[in-house]
Amino acid sequence: MLWRLSKSFQFAADRYIPDSFVFCVILTLLAYVCGLMVSPDKPMGLVVGWYNGLWSMIGFAFQMSFMVVCCGAAAKAPLIERGLAAVARLPRAPWVGMIVLLVFGFVSSLINWAFSTILTPILAMQLSRNVKGMHFPLMIAAGYATMVIGQTWGPSASVYALVATKGHFLESSIGVWTQDQTVYNPVNTTIFFIMVVTVILIGVFTRPPAEEVIAFAPKQEPVPVVEAEEEAGERTFADRMNESRILMLIIGVAGIAVIVDSVVTKGLMKSLDFNFVIFLFLTLNAFLYNTPRRFVAAFKDMMRPAAEVMLQFPFYGGIMGMMTASGLAKVLAGLLIQVATVDTIYLWSFLSACFINLFIPSQGGQWIVQGPILTEAALALKANMPLVFNAFVHGDEATNLIQPLYVIPALALVGMKLKEVWGFMAFICMFWIVIVGTCFLVLPKLMM
């Protein structure tokens, strides 16, 4: 039954969902048209807002692209591939393989979202190669879902980190909230584990017939790592430097020194920011590809998948710029909150965040627009403030399964198009919205 239902979503995706860049351009045009409805006197102002927004994501675009390159190079190293293949050979049945993949995804997402985004699809590739009967597009969609769900119960979510910091921009009205109050309160914890069980059940019981299974199939042959060239004549000083293992060893040892120093001084969990995760893989690559020639060749191999990430992230920044310039996000959030009561504010906070995230796919950026409206309504209704935070974060993360920005790196690594997985992502999103929306109506009355 679940497979038949998921196929209806995927059928629509195959027919109507374009490539991820075209999807982004369509969202840009939609944001512009909607912005004109709110600010009809600002046609050029919206274009300028789009232009300004493009550059707001340049740094993040490079970080995400560099993450794809570093992590992808490490994943394709023979030593890592053999290790992941050994793990992937342990499950003997498709349902066991799916549980292994999803549990790994949830655990890694609680460590760091970038870590999970990259390693989960890499493990999925190995499982698909070693366990017959696993549907690879569903594996990628469900694995990606574990990452976004993990952000709702992890301390690295932007809103939770922000409101726990003294001096944040809403401190004068709502104060400072520690993460034991926001992240780990009973309602949010219950919802997180309900969703963990839900996604695992969807992954296990959405089973295609044998003739419809799609296994992982590389779209192109991997570029072989350049080995040191053997020359008949005398080897020059330049040749010896290009093939020097000592140079890469120096870089690797320096990287280890930085990593150890950070963990000792700040602790492991506080060290695991975005840049640190990328640096871990950069350091690992210095040992996996132990000459400059091999190191550079491995990175060149991953430049092509990173190109889509580098291109599309600034365009989503442009959408954010238009939403801010038009004031559309504030208008939409305000309209939804106006109908809220003390019993329904959590549901409306969740649904409004779901919608606005389609156009502002940055939790921090969305909170700047929506946070003042939600907290003002919560104060007026004397609602539970941490649950408003939770509802916002769940809404922001839920429609990451429809708005494809953060799945682009995973798709780039495995060589898939958005339409191949979007239907399964939307299928899981439907369950998330229905279940979590119901939870935010019922659980606050029972548990708080």
Side-chain angles (χ1 to χ4, degrees):
M1 181 188 70
L2 286 174
W3 176 250
R4 289 195 298 272
L5 181 59
S6 72
K7 279 186 66 177
S8 64
F9 282 85
Q10 192 55 39
F11 175 78
D14 286 337
R15 293 176 65 89
Y16 301 114
I17 298 299
D19 288 345
S20 55
F21 177 71
V22 178
F23 192 101
C24 176
V25 172
I26 291 171
L27 278 180
T28 302
L29 296 175
L30 181 60
Y32 183 77
V33 171
C34 292
L36 283 179
M37 293 179 183
V38 175
S39 303
D41 57 334
K42 294 184 179 179
M44 191 60 197
L46 296 183
V47 176
V48 173
W50 171 77
Y51 171 81
N52 292 333
L54 282 174
W55 311 114
S56 69
M57 293 284 272
I58 285 294
F60 192 34
F62 178 78
Q63 284 178 306
M64 291 293 286
S65 303
F66 198 45
M67 179 183 73
V68 169
V69 172
C70 289
C71 298
K76 291 189 174 184
L79 180 64
I80 299 298
E81 283 198 327
R82 286 195 296 270
L84 287 173
V87 173
R89 282 193 292 268
L90 295 176
R92 298 297 182 185
W95 68 271
V96 178
M98 183 63 78
I99 291 176
V100 169
L101 175 69
L102 299 184
V103 169
F104 175 85
F106 280 119
V107 172
S108 61
S109 72
L110 294 178
I111 296 172
N112 182 268
W113 70 270
F115 189 75
S116 180
T117 299
I118 294 299
L119 290 189
T120 304
I122 291 171
L123 178 59
M125 286 192 293
Q126 294 294 341
L127 285 167
S128 180
R129 285 168 171 161
N130 288 279
V131 183
K132 292 183 179 180
M134 298 192 73
H135 192 71
F136 190 64
L138 176 61
M139 295 170 72
I140 295 299
Y144 174 66
T146 65
M147 185 280 286
V148 291
I149 291 171
Q151 299 314 292
T152 66
W153 200 63
S156 61
S158 300
V159 170
Y160 297 146
L162 180 68
V163 298
T165 304
K166 290 184 179 180
H168 69 86
F169 74 97
L170 292 175
E171 183 182 4
S172 61
S173 59
I174 67 172
V176 174
W177 294 86
T178 59
Q179 296 200 5
D180 61 318
Q181 297 171 301
T182 57
V183 182
Y184 303 113
N185 66 67
V187 170
N188 196 47
T189 300
T190 301
I191 293 175
F192 170 73
F193 283 103
I194 287 173
M195 287 308 302
V196 168
V197 173
T198 298
V199 170
I200 290 175
L201 291 176
I202 290 172
V204 169
F205 289 104
T206 305
R207 292 183 295 207
E211 65 273 12
E212 295 186 43
V213 171
I214 299 175
F216 170 69
K219 294 294 188 292
Q220 59 182 12
E221 290 299 316
V223 178
V225 175
V226 176
E227 299 289 350
E229 297 178 0
E230 295 292 337
E231 297 185 12
E234 181 181 354
R235 291 163 61 83
T236 66
F237 175 77
D239 292 330
R240 290 195 295 271
M241 294 298 289
N242 290 338
E243 297 157 16
S244 171
R245 299 191 178 197
I246 295 175
L247 291 178
M248 297 312 301
L249 180 63
I250 291 172
I251 293 175
V253 170
I256 290 175
V258 171
I259 292 166
V260 171
D261 178 70
S262 179
V263 172
V264 169
T265 55
K266 296 191 294 186
L268 177 61
M269 297 308 296
K270 288 186 178 180
S271 294
L272 284 172
D273 61 18
F274 194 20
N275 289 337
F276 190 80
V277 171
I278 298 172
F279 188 72
L280 284 173
F281 283 95
L282 181 65
T283 302
L284 178 61
N285 282 321
F287 293 102
L288 293 172
Y289 301 101
N290 55 3
T291 70
R293 190 188 298 274
R294 299 181 75 238
F295 186 80
V296 172
F299 274 56
K300 284 182 178 178
D301 187 10
M302 293 306 303
M303 287 296 182
R304 182 172 180 139
E308 286 197 42
V309 180
M310 179 64 77
L311 175 64
Q312 292 180 53
F313 270 68
F315 274 81
Y316 278 102
I319 295 173
M320 291 169 55
M322 276 196 293
M323 293 289 285
T324 302
S326 67
L328 177 61
K330 289 185 178 180
V331 170
L332 293 173
L335 288 174
L336 288 168
I337 294 303
Q338 282 178 11
V339 302
T341 67
V342 68
D343 292 326
T344 62
I345 185 172
Y346 313 115
L347 174 63
W348 287 117
S349 298
F350 169 67
L351 293 176
S352 63
C354 280
F355 183 75
I356 293 173
N357 178 62
L358 295 174
F359 300 95
I360 305 181
S362 162
Q363 190 174 110
Q366 185 177 344
W367 181 250
I368 290 172
V369 172
Q370 201 174 351
I373 300 168
L374 295 180
T375 54
E376 182 180 348
L379 290 170
L381 294 170
K382 297 182 180 180
N384 186 292
M385 191 65 70
L387 294 190
V388 172
F389 302 151
N390 298 149
F392 170 84
V393 171
H394 271 276
D396 170 80
E397 296 295 344
T399 45
N400 280 336
L401 288 166
I402 298 176
Q403 199 279 74
L405 179 65
Y406 292 100
V407 79
I408 293 170
L411 296 178
L413 275 177
V414 299
M416 298 185 75
K417 293 184 178 295
L418 176 62
K419 68 178 184 179
E420 295 177 86
V421 300
W422 191 89
F424 294 111
M425 289 161 54
F427 173 61
I428 296 170
C429 184
M430 175 192 69
F431 282 92
W432 189 339
I433 291 175
V434 171
I435 292 171
V436 173
T438 302
C439 286
F440 277 119
L441 270 179
V442 174
L443 293 184
K445 300 175 185 178
L446 299 178
M447 304 180 69
M448 303 300 286

